Amino acid sequence: MIAAILSSCNDSKKAGLKPVEVDQSTIGLQIERLASDEFLGRKPFTEGETITVNYLKDEFEKLGLVPGNGESYFQEVPMVEITGIPSENMVISGENGNINLKVLTDFVATTNKPDTSVSLQNSELVFAGYGIVAPEYGWNDYEGIEWKGKTAVVLINDPGFKSGDSTLFKGNEMTYYGRWTYKYEEAARQGADGLIIIHDTEPAAYGWNVIESGWSGARLTIESDMPLLNVESWISGESAEKMFDVSSMKGQDYKALARNKDFKPIPLELNVSVGITNTIKRDVSKNVVAMIPGTERKDEYIIYSAHWDHFGVGKAIEGDSIYNGAVDNASGTASLLAIAEAFKKSEPTERSIVFIAVTGEEQGLLGSAYYAEHPIFSPEKTVANINMDAIDSPGRMKDLTITGYGHSEMDEYAKEAAEKQGRYVIPDPEAEKGYFFRSDHFNFAKIGIPALYAAGSYEGFDHSIEEIKAYNDNYRMHKYHQPSDEYDPATTKLSGIQADLQLLFEVGLKLSNEDYFPKWYEGSEFKAARK
């Protein structure tokens, strides 16, 4: 039925025109420039931000795009920068022994409270399973405890992960309940003083090195009236084993207990002490917004998004302290410019095309979250969001992997475009890693805008499934969120990126010249927001 809808609704004069090609050289040149040391790792609130947002504004202007926020290319995003220095040790104490955990090596501790100091002082530790309250699943890991003055200890991901039971939550596919952001939010709602997440590489989908670099130094947040924890923490898996070994749960399989639907929180008969001294800075970061106005339905919008930020200058690894973020996400930001260039070379479109380079993604999708709360363009009139984040491959891909497949009719638009390239569509084969909740399309979906987040990542025309997996694993292990994520024109294969961008461009081009609004499928949690 959807195929008939797509074909019948597109009665535009432009339907038969062959689209222009997204320029591969533009992609390469823009990634190389944005990932250069000149941009200082593109961290918000730094000189790197000023250089980045002004560069993007100038590039959009050169292409002939108009300001997207009234007369400005910028949407100001007020944030709080909290530079926290944790105590050298997290002390876990009890009758059976004390444990001193070392900062960064064994634990990280942060806060979103804009106070000069926060702490946990002999806070009672309680194991709260996965830290989930999900009435639709009949699940409450916090039930029966008064949480004021206590610190919850929880597992990452959700009970369905590796359970072998497809009816337990969503089976291996991570729900939002599995994300670290949710776990901190829920613990704060419950009134806890702190939360400790136990790190485990497989269900977290990244190693301790990512925790070490991503949860240290200055962090950004948007001030709100939501409840906040004093301390948000992670501990390593090895540290967790030591903790349980001196707790009331010594010898018990805490992971198996947490997966039981009848689980109730268990006091560990341990206390935790840790402090954080903060330097507070309030400032304004920027989303960069540019637009190509439509000719006939200019008050209807297709939004392309990508985040411009990375981690700036930080802890040196092998002598390099600039976190250039070539793949994550100079590739996506360059994609915005390359696709904007393609639209400018095309015939004018009936709907308006918007390009938003958002800030603060690496700090918790902050720029897109702010946009979702303060949309420039009416969500009801926004047709779709097409998001680009970490687009990379060793060459042209046979697949188009859709993260969040099965949520909306955007799947069908993508499938049609993929088939034109001789490619096939698959759902994310690593849905357990929760990528749907880890990039900016998620905030557009939360306000009801159908979103497409897709790229080739499974099987290449010239590389096997095994080779592609090894390529992706190598990136995650050795480059993701590290200074080594740099652009090398001699080894980077742009053909796969170009094919993906051509596909995303053609999806947007089709949407921009028809009067149909893609719909959410029944069963998607985002359908109600669209209504």
Side-chain angles (χ1 to χ4, degrees), residues 338-366:
I339 290 178
E341 179 185 61
F343 271 107
K344 288 299 292 184
K345 290 179 180 177
S346 301
E347 292 291 320
T349 58
E350 296 173 10
R351 285 168 160 164
S352 297
I353 312 296
V354 177
F355 299 87
I356 305 181
V358 294
T359 183
E361 191 269 357
E362 300 291 5
Q363 306 291 330
L365 315 184
L366 299 183

mmCIF file of all heavy atoms in Angstrom, residues 338-366:
data_model
loop_
_atom_site.group_PDB
_atom_site.id
_atom_site.type_symbol
_atom_site.label_atom_id
_atom_site.label_comp_id
_atom_site.label_asym_id
_atom_site.label_seq_id
_atom_site.Cartn_x
_atom_site.Cartn_y
_atom_site.Cartn_z
ATOM 1 N N ALA A 338 27.764 19.176 1.604
ATOM 2 C CA ALA A 338 27.751 18.528 0.287
ATOM 3 C C ALA A 338 26.328 18.373 -0.234
ATOM 4 O O ALA A 338 26.062 18.554 -1.438
ATOM 5 C CB ALA A 338 28.444 17.173 0.368
ATOM 6 N N ILE A 339 25.396 18.011 0.639
ATOM 7 C CA ILE A 339 24.001 17.858 0.208
ATOM 8 C C ILE A 339 23.377 19.222 -0.078
ATOM 9 O O ILE A 339 22.603 19.376 -1.031
ATOM 10 C CB ILE A 339 23.196 17.072 1.261
ATOM 11 C CG1 ILE A 339 23.663 15.610 1.269
ATOM 12 C CG2 ILE A 339 21.699 17.141 0.980
ATOM 13 C CD1 ILE A 339 22.985 14.732 2.309
ATOM 14 N N ALA A 340 23.713 20.235 0.722
ATOM 15 C CA ALA A 340 23.232 21.589 0.437
ATOM 16 C C ALA A 340 23.704 22.045 -0.938
ATOM 17 O O ALA A 340 22.938 22.644 -1.715
ATOM 18 C CB ALA A 340 23.712 22.552 1.520
ATOM 19 N N GLU A 341 24.955 21.747 -1.256
ATOM 20 C CA GLU A 341 25.501 22.086 -2.569
ATOM 21 C C GLU A 341 24.713 21.394 -3.675
ATOM 22 O O GLU A 341 24.387 21.998 -4.708
ATOM 23 C CB GLU A 341 26.966 21.688 -2.631
ATOM 24 C CG GLU A 341 27.656 21.977 -3.956
ATOM 25 C CD GLU A 341 29.082 21.446 -3.976
ATOM 26 O OE1 GLU A 341 29.267 20.216 -3.834
ATOM 27 O OE2 GLU A 341 30.011 22.257 -4.116
ATOM 28 N N ALA A 342 24.362 20.119 -3.477
ATOM 29 C CA ALA A 342 23.602 19.375 -4.482
ATOM 30 C C ALA A 342 22.219 19.975 -4.683
ATOM 31 O O ALA A 342 21.727 20.090 -5.813
ATOM 32 C CB ALA A 342 23.504 17.904 -4.073
ATOM 33 N N PHE A 343 21.557 20.370 -3.589
ATOM 34 C CA PHE A 343 20.246 21.001 -3.726
ATOM 35 C C PHE A 343 20.327 22.327 -4.474
ATOM 36 O O PHE A 343 19.441 22.664 -5.265
ATOM 37 C CB PHE A 343 19.603 21.207 -2.354
ATOM 38 C CG PHE A 343 18.781 20.032 -1.875
ATOM 39 C CD1 PHE A 343 19.255 19.215 -0.868
ATOM 40 C CD2 PHE A 343 17.544 19.753 -2.445
ATOM 41 C CE1 PHE A 343 18.503 18.130 -0.418
ATOM 42 C CE2 PHE A 343 16.788 18.671 -2.007
ATOM 43 C CZ PHE A 343 17.269 17.847 -0.997
ATOM 44 N N LYS A 344 21.391 23.079 -4.230
ATOM 45 C CA LYS A 344 21.536 24.361 -4.922
ATOM 46 C C LYS A 344 21.776 24.175 -6.412
ATOM 47 O O LYS A 344 21.441 25.042 -7.223
ATOM 48 C CB LYS A 344 22.663 25.184 -4.300
ATOM 49 C CG LYS A 344 22.342 25.749 -2.933
ATOM 50 C CD LYS A 344 21.140 26.694 -2.961
ATOM 51 C CE LYS A 344 21.420 27.979 -3.724
ATOM 52 N NZ LYS A 344 20.279 28.926 -3.661
ATOM 53 N N LYS A 345 22.351 23.034 -6.791
ATOM 54 C CA LYS A 345 22.574 22.736 -8.210
ATOM 55 C C LYS A 345 21.315 22.190 -8.877
ATOM 56 O O LYS A 345 21.242 22.122 -10.104
ATOM 57 C CB LYS A 345 23.714 21.724 -8.360
ATOM 58 C CG LYS A 345 25.097 22.271 -8.018
ATOM 59 C CD LYS A 345 26.149 21.175 -8.166
ATOM 60 C CE LYS A 345 27.537 21.683 -7.830
ATOM 61 N NZ LYS A 345 28.556 20.586 -7.907
ATOM 62 N N SER A 346 20.359 21.757 -8.065
ATOM 63 C CA SER A 346 19.129 21.153 -8.577
ATOM 64 C C SER A 346 18.098 22.225 -8.907
ATOM 65 O O SER A 346 18.252 23.406 -8.565
ATOM 66 C CB SER A 346 18.537 20.194 -7.532
ATOM 67 O OG SER A 346 19.433 19.172 -7.209
ATOM 68 N N GLU A 347 17.018 21.787 -9.542
ATOM 69 C CA GLU A 347 15.873 22.664 -9.746
ATOM 70 C C GLU A 347 15.304 23.048 -8.381
ATOM 71 O O GLU A 347 15.357 22.254 -7.435
ATOM 72 C CB GLU A 347 14.803 21.948 -10.569
ATOM 73 C CG GLU A 347 15.202 21.677 -12.010
ATOM 74 C CD GLU A 347 15.299 22.955 -12.826
ATOM 75 O OE1 GLU A 347 14.440 23.841 -12.632
ATOM 76 O OE2 GLU A 347 16.246 23.081 -13.621
ATOM 77 N N PRO A 348 14.760 24.254 -8.237
ATOM 78 C CA PRO A 348 14.166 24.637 -6.950
ATOM 79 C C PRO A 348 13.093 23.648 -6.504
ATOM 80 O O PRO A 348 12.355 23.098 -7.322
ATOM 81 C CB PRO A 348 13.553 26.015 -7.248
ATOM 82 C CG PRO A 348 14.352 26.545 -8.396
ATOM 83 C CD PRO A 348 14.701 25.345 -9.226
ATOM 84 N N THR A 349 13.042 23.403 -5.216
ATOM 85 C CA THR A 349 12.100 22.430 -4.676
ATOM 86 C C THR A 349 10.830 23.123 -4.185
ATOM 87 O O THR A 349 10.832 24.313 -3.853
ATOM 88 C CB THR A 349 12.729 21.660 -3.496
ATOM 89 O OG1 THR A 349 13.130 22.587 -2.483
ATOM 90 C CG2 THR A 349 13.942 20.874 -3.971
ATOM 91 N N GLU A 350 9.747 22.359 -4.108
ATOM 92 C CA GLU A 350 8.460 22.917 -3.711
ATOM 93 C C GLU A 350 8.394 23.165 -2.205
ATOM 94 O O GLU A 350 7.778 24.124 -1.748
ATOM 95 C CB GLU A 350 7.342 21.978 -4.159
ATOM 96 C CG GLU A 350 7.264 21.863 -5.678
ATOM 97 C CD GLU A 350 6.278 20.815 -6.161
ATOM 98 O OE1 GLU A 350 5.503 20.289 -5.333
ATOM 99 O OE2 GLU A 350 6.280 20.531 -7.368
ATOM 100 N N ARG A 351 8.995 22.281 -1.432
ATOM 101 C CA ARG A 351 9.092 22.475 0.003
ATOM 102 C C ARG A 351 10.455 23.058 0.357
ATOM 103 O O ARG A 351 11.420 22.940 -0.408
ATOM 104 C CB ARG A 351 8.900 21.140 0.725
ATOM 105 C CG ARG A 351 7.462 20.653 0.766
ATOM 106 C CD ARG A 351 7.366 19.224 1.230
ATOM 107 N NE ARG A 351 6.025 18.882 1.722
ATOM 108 C CZ ARG A 351 5.582 17.642 1.896
ATOM 109 N NH1 ARG A 351 6.378 16.611 1.620
ATOM 110 N NH2 ARG A 351 4.362 17.424 2.348
ATOM 111 N N SER A 352 10.549 23.635 1.549
ATOM 112 C CA SER A 352 11.816 24.212 2.008
ATOM 113 C C SER A 352 12.731 23.120 2.553
ATOM 114 O O SER A 352 12.275 22.158 3.180
ATOM 115 C CB SER A 352 11.555 25.253 3.093
ATOM 116 O OG SER A 352 10.802 26.333 2.576
ATOM 117 N N ILE A 353 14.026 23.307 2.331
ATOM 118 C CA ILE A 353 15.041 22.379 2.832
ATOM 119 C C ILE A 353 15.869 23.110 3.881
ATOM 120 O O ILE A 353 16.421 24.178 3.620
ATOM 121 C CB ILE A 353 15.980 21.882 1.708
ATOM 122 C CG1 ILE A 353 15.189 21.430 0.483
ATOM 123 C CG2 ILE A 353 16.882 20.762 2.230
ATOM 124 C CD1 ILE A 353 14.305 20.241 0.714
ATOM 125 N N VAL A 354 15.942 22.520 5.080
ATOM 126 C CA VAL A 354 16.646 23.133 6.200
ATOM 127 C C VAL A 354 17.862 22.290 6.565
ATOM 128 O O VAL A 354 17.799 21.055 6.556
ATOM 129 C CB VAL A 354 15.712 23.250 7.427
ATOM 130 C CG1 VAL A 354 16.454 23.831 8.624
ATOM 131 C CG2 VAL A 354 14.488 24.105 7.088
ATOM 132 N N PHE A 355 18.950 22.961 6.880
ATOM 133 C CA PHE A 355 20.181 22.287 7.304
ATOM 134 C C PHE A 355 20.551 22.807 8.694
ATOM 135 O O PHE A 355 20.745 24.015 8.879
ATOM 136 C CB PHE A 355 21.313 22.557 6.313
ATOM 137 C CG PHE A 355 21.014 22.051 4.930
ATOM 138 C CD1 PHE A 355 20.312 22.851 4.022
ATOM 139 C CD2 PHE A 355 21.383 20.772 4.553
ATOM 140 C CE1 PHE A 355 20.008 22.370 2.751
ATOM 141 C CE2 PHE A 355 21.080 20.290 3.286
ATOM 142 C CZ PHE A 355 20.387 21.088 2.394
ATOM 143 N N ILE A 356 20.611 21.888 9.673
ATOM 144 C CA ILE A 356 20.934 22.280 11.047
ATOM 145 C C ILE A 356 22.168 21.514 11.516
ATOM 146 O O ILE A 356 22.151 20.282 11.600
ATOM 147 C CB ILE A 356 19.776 22.003 12.020
ATOM 148 C CG1 ILE A 356 18.476 22.673 11.541
ATOM 149 C CG2 ILE A 356 20.131 22.511 13.421
ATOM 150 C CD1 ILE A 356 17.304 22.461 12.474
ATOM 151 N N ALA A 357 23.230 22.266 11.792
ATOM 152 C CA ALA A 357 24.419 21.690 12.426
ATOM 153 C C ALA A 357 24.289 21.974 13.913
ATOM 154 O O ALA A 357 24.373 23.126 14.344
ATOM 155 C CB ALA A 357 25.688 22.311 11.858
ATOM 156 N N VAL A 358 24.026 20.928 14.699
ATOM 157 C CA VAL A 358 23.686 21.130 16.109
ATOM 158 C C VAL A 358 24.906 20.994 17.010
ATOM 159 O O VAL A 358 25.866 20.300 16.693
ATOM 160 C CB VAL A 358 22.576 20.148 16.574
ATOM 161 C CG1 VAL A 358 21.274 20.434 15.856
ATOM 162 C CG2 VAL A 358 22.999 18.706 16.380
ATOM 163 N N THR A 359 24.815 21.640 18.144
ATOM 164 C CA THR A 359 25.872 21.617 19.145
ATOM 165 C C THR A 359 25.590 20.561 20.208
ATOM 166 O O THR A 359 24.470 20.050 20.333
ATOM 167 C CB THR A 359 26.015 22.999 19.823
ATOM 168 O OG1 THR A 359 27.100 22.962 20.750
ATOM 169 C CG2 THR A 359 24.750 23.380 20.582
ATOM 170 N N GLY A 360 26.615 20.230 20.976
ATOM 171 C CA GLY A 360 26.451 19.492 22.219
ATOM 172 C C GLY A 360 25.955 18.068 22.098
ATOM 173 O O GLY A 360 25.490 17.509 23.086
ATOM 174 N N GLU A 361 26.080 17.440 20.949
ATOM 175 C CA GLU A 361 25.631 16.048 20.829
ATOM 176 C C GLU A 361 26.437 15.144 21.735
ATOM 177 O O GLU A 361 25.885 14.248 22.390
ATOM 178 C CB GLU A 361 25.747 15.577 19.374
ATOM 179 C CG GLU A 361 25.073 14.238 19.085
ATOM 180 C CD GLU A 361 26.006 13.024 19.250
ATOM 181 O OE1 GLU A 361 27.208 13.235 19.541
ATOM 182 O OE2 GLU A 361 25.528 11.887 19.077
ATOM 183 N N GLU A 362 27.729 15.389 21.796
ATOM 184 C CA GLU A 362 28.606 14.525 22.580
ATOM 185 C C GLU A 362 28.375 14.672 24.084
ATOM 186 O O GLU A 362 28.823 13.847 24.873
ATOM 187 C CB GLU A 362 30.084 14.814 22.257
ATOM 188 C CG GLU A 362 30.475 14.608 20.798
ATOM 189 C CD GLU A 362 30.469 13.150 20.373
ATOM 190 O OE1 GLU A 362 30.066 12.286 21.171
ATOM 191 O OE2 GLU A 362 30.859 12.879 19.223
ATOM 192 N N GLN A 363 27.647 15.707 24.484
ATOM 193 C CA GLN A 363 27.352 15.932 25.899
ATOM 194 C C GLN A 363 25.943 15.460 26.254
ATOM 195 O O GLN A 363 25.465 15.736 27.356
ATOM 196 C CB GLN A 363 27.498 17.409 26.226
ATOM 197 C CG GLN A 363 28.841 18.011 25.840
ATOM 198 C CD GLN A 363 29.980 17.490 26.680
ATOM 199 O OE1 GLN A 363 29.792 17.141 27.833
ATOM 200 N NE2 GLN A 363 31.170 17.439 26.103
ATOM 201 N N GLY A 364 25.273 14.778 25.334
ATOM 202 C CA GLY A 364 23.928 14.276 25.612
ATOM 203 C C GLY A 364 22.868 14.822 24.675
ATOM 204 O O GLY A 364 21.741 15.083 25.112
ATOM 205 N N LEU A 365 23.204 15.024 23.402
ATOM 206 C CA LEU A 365 22.259 15.495 22.378
ATOM 207 C C LEU A 365 21.665 16.853 22.759
ATOM 208 O O LEU A 365 20.479 17.122 22.533
ATOM 209 C CB LEU A 365 21.121 14.484 22.154
ATOM 210 C CG LEU A 365 21.484 12.996 22.031
ATOM 211 C CD1 LEU A 365 20.232 12.175 21.711
ATOM 212 C CD2 LEU A 365 22.552 12.755 20.979
ATOM 213 N N LEU A 366 22.478 17.743 23.304
ATOM 214 C CA LEU A 366 21.955 18.977 23.896
ATOM 215 C C LEU A 366 21.414 19.955 22.863
ATOM 216 O O LEU A 366 20.369 20.579 23.067
ATOM 217 C CB LEU A 366 23.047 19.654 24.731
ATOM 218 C CG LEU A 366 23.601 18.848 25.907
ATOM 219 C CD1 LEU A 366 24.613 19.679 26.684
ATOM 220 C CD2 LEU A 366 22.486 18.382 26.828
#
